[in-house]
Every structure is written in C-alpha cells, then in structure tokens.
Amino acid sequence: MGAACSSDQSKGVSKSHKKVKQLPINKSVVTKEQPSDMPIELHLMRPSVHCHGAWMLLKQAGIKHEIKDVDLMKGEQMSPEYLALNPLHTVPTLKDGDISVWESNAVVRYILNRFDSAKKFYPSDPAMRTHCDIALEWKQNALYAGITDLTYPILGFIPLNEEKSKKALDKFNSTEKDGYFSTFEHFFLNGKKFICGDEPTVADFVIAPVFEFLDVCNDITYPVAITEYRKRFNDATGYEEMANGMGGFGTRQLVDMCRK
C-alpha cells in the first residue's frame, strides 16, 4: 500500500495516459440526483482509512454506488485507466459520469454538494459547519501527519524515522492542549457525543476511522473519552463491518497482521 495510500502523493505520474476529465472550471457542479441506473464509482483500497470517510458517507446517505477496488500493492493505480481519473494515482477517487474527484476531503465535499440525502450529515448552522470544516482540515493537515510518522513504519509503508516516530508518539500521549488526543477531546468533542453534537456528521465519518491505524502501536495510551467515542461511532454507524473490509481484506486485518 505504501505512501500511495496517502491523499497527497504526487510523484511518478506517467505522461502517456489520456486527458483527464476534471471538474469543469467554468461550470457548476451538477446538482440534480444521479439517475438510479447510473451509480457513481468509488475507487479505493479497503484497508486505507483515507477512503472510509467517503465510503461511509455514501452508505449512510443511501447513495447508490459501486466500489472499485484498487490494489496499490500490484500497482493498479498506475494503469492508464486509473491515471485518466486521477493523475496523482491516489485513493480514494470518485467517478461521477465524466467527472472525477480525488483528495479525500474534496471527495466528501463533492458528495455533500451533489446529493440531497447527504446534506443532513453537514451542519446547516454556520458556526457548527465551520467547526466541522476545521475538524476535516485538522485531520488532513495535523492528525494524519502524526499517524503517518508513528504507524506507517510499523505497517511497512515507509522506513522508520525514530525521531519523527517518537515525536508523534509523545504528541499523542501528551495532555497539553496541542496534543492530538487532547485537541480532539477538549476542542472537537468538548463534552459532546460526536464532533458536532448528538449525531455523527461527515467530520466523524472522516476522523473516527483514522484511529484504527493507531491500534497497531502498543505504546499508545487512549484517553477514556476517545475509547468511548470510538465505541459510540461503531454503534451509531456499524463502522466495524467497514473496518473489517466489507467482505474483503480490511483495516483491522492489516493492523492485526502488523501489530507489534
């Protein structure tokens, strides 16, 4: 799986693939519902937690979709067909007719904008929607950097950098305000059941799955609030089935295989 699971990999793009059909720059995103006989495609690798937010949103919103498995270990992301959808050859990639969308947060926002049934998972109150957006960006730009440094070497994706790994572990276990768990518990949850209130939103769909990779590290100390949050999320969404691969090789199988 390697670094290709990351939503920001940008090297090694072939010059031979056909022109990519990206979001039209001067046109609005389609707003009508997709015809029932034309499901959108979500291209993903099941163990990649980057893919689970979009996958969960599609399932919870009842949007007809088709999963297209991409085996990064076999290099399927470098095929001309996949590069035509996503020149950065990352997962997830969403295909909706002639439109393709990549970058995990962009994919979930496309779904939110595209389908009325998904809008209930994105707060309408401006302040709470902003809180949701901050959570999405914090996961992408802060939390996941720590997860990468700490867990990717154990999972076999990248070589160990002991300095980065120790720094990440210390920040997860830190009780300071900027510690990863501390930030999540005291800023994003702040006494609530979920990030934006009593019900899960897209922010939870995106963030809760990434904690799965941390289970590969025995040195992590989970605060009670995080453990309880993860259980609430599983209970509310049935996420356990997705974490176990939905009939394929999933995140929990990968973690169990690599656990220290």
Side-chain angles (χ1 to χ4, degrees):
M1 188 154 57
C5 282
S6 171
S7 62
D8 58 4
Q9 181 182 355
S10 60
K11 296 182 180 179
V13 179
S14 168
K15 295 182 180 179
S16 62
H17 60 82
K18 62 183 180 179
K19 186 177 180 181
V20 178
K21 294 181 179 180
Q22 302 178 19
L23 281 174
I25 295 174
N26 296 318
K27 295 181 181 179
S28 300
V29 174
V30 179
T31 54
K32 64 181 181 180
E33 293 288 323
Q34 182 86 355
S36 59
D37 60 344
M38 294 177 61
I40 62 176
E41 298 175 359
L42 185 63
H43 298 249
L44 54 73
M45 190 166 183
R46 293 171 192 253
S48 172
V49 292
H50 270 306
C51 301
H52 293 182
W55 195 3
M56 179 62 71
L57 180 57
L58 289 170
K59 287 178 64 63
Q60 292 291 313
I63 298 166
K64 187 174 181 180
H65 62 281
E66 184 177 354
I67 295 299
K68 297 287 188 178
D69 289 293
V70 181
D71 192 333
L72 304 183
M73 301 304 294
K74 293 181 179 178
E76 291 177 356
Q77 75 278 17
M78 301 304 295
S79 69
E81 294 79 13
Y82 195 77
L83 290 171
L85 297 176
N86 179 349
L88 301 188
H89 46 84
T90 54
V91 290
T93 294
L94 182 142
K95 184 177 184 294
D96 183 11
D98 286 337
I99 292 174
S100 63
V101 187
W102 63 93
E103 289 296 328
S104 53
N105 280 352
V107 171
V108 297
R109 287 189 172 107
Y110 179 83
I111 296 168
L112 292 168
N113 288 322
R114 173 74 165 81
F115 296 97
D116 287 341
S117 60
K119 296 185 189 306
K120 64 183 178 181
F121 298 109
Y122 195 36
S124 57
D125 174 75
M128 194 54 70
R129 176 170 289 196
T130 299
H131 185 71
C132 180
D133 285 334
I134 293 171
L136 291 173
E137 299 310 313
W138 175 75
K139 171 264 178 182
Q140 198 80 336
N141 297 305
L143 175 63
Y144 205 78
I147 289 174
T148 297
D149 290 341
L150 181 59
T151 69
Y152 271 33
I154 304 172
L155 294 167
F157 299 162
I158 61 174
L160 173 65
N161 182 311
E162 291 186 4
E163 182 180 355
K164 286 186 175 181
S165 180
K166 183 180 184 306
K167 184 177 179 181
L169 178 61
D170 289 346
K171 195 161 183 177
F172 274 107
N173 289 334
S174 172
T175 57
E176 297 295 323
K177 288 184 178 180
D178 64 345
Y180 293 124
F181 285 149
S182 182
T183 297
F184 187 73
E185 177 181 355
H186 298 294
F187 179 76
F188 289 111
L189 289 181
N190 194 23
K192 303 186 297 297
K193 291 182 179 179
F194 296 100
I195 293 172
C196 294
D198 289 338
E199 300 294 333
T201 64
V202 65
D204 301 286
F205 298 164
V206 167
I207 290 180
V210 305
F211 291 135
E212 293 288 324
F213 272 178
L214 292 174
D215 291 344
V216 80
C217 181
N218 291 329
D219 297 323
I220 284 287
T221 302
Y222 282 104
V224 172
I226 305 297
T227 300
E228 292 177 345
Y229 166 78
R230 294 180 69 190
K231 184 181 186 304
R232 284 195 299 273
F233 181 76
N234 279 328
D235 291 344
T237 65
Y239 173 68
E240 185 171 359
E241 185 179 9
M242 186 175 293
N244 282 312
M246 300 283 290
F249 184 78
T251 306
R252 292 187 181 175
Q253 286 77 20
L254 173 66
V255 167
D256 286 345
M257 184 175 69
C258 298
R259 194 189 307 270
K260 282 184 174 181

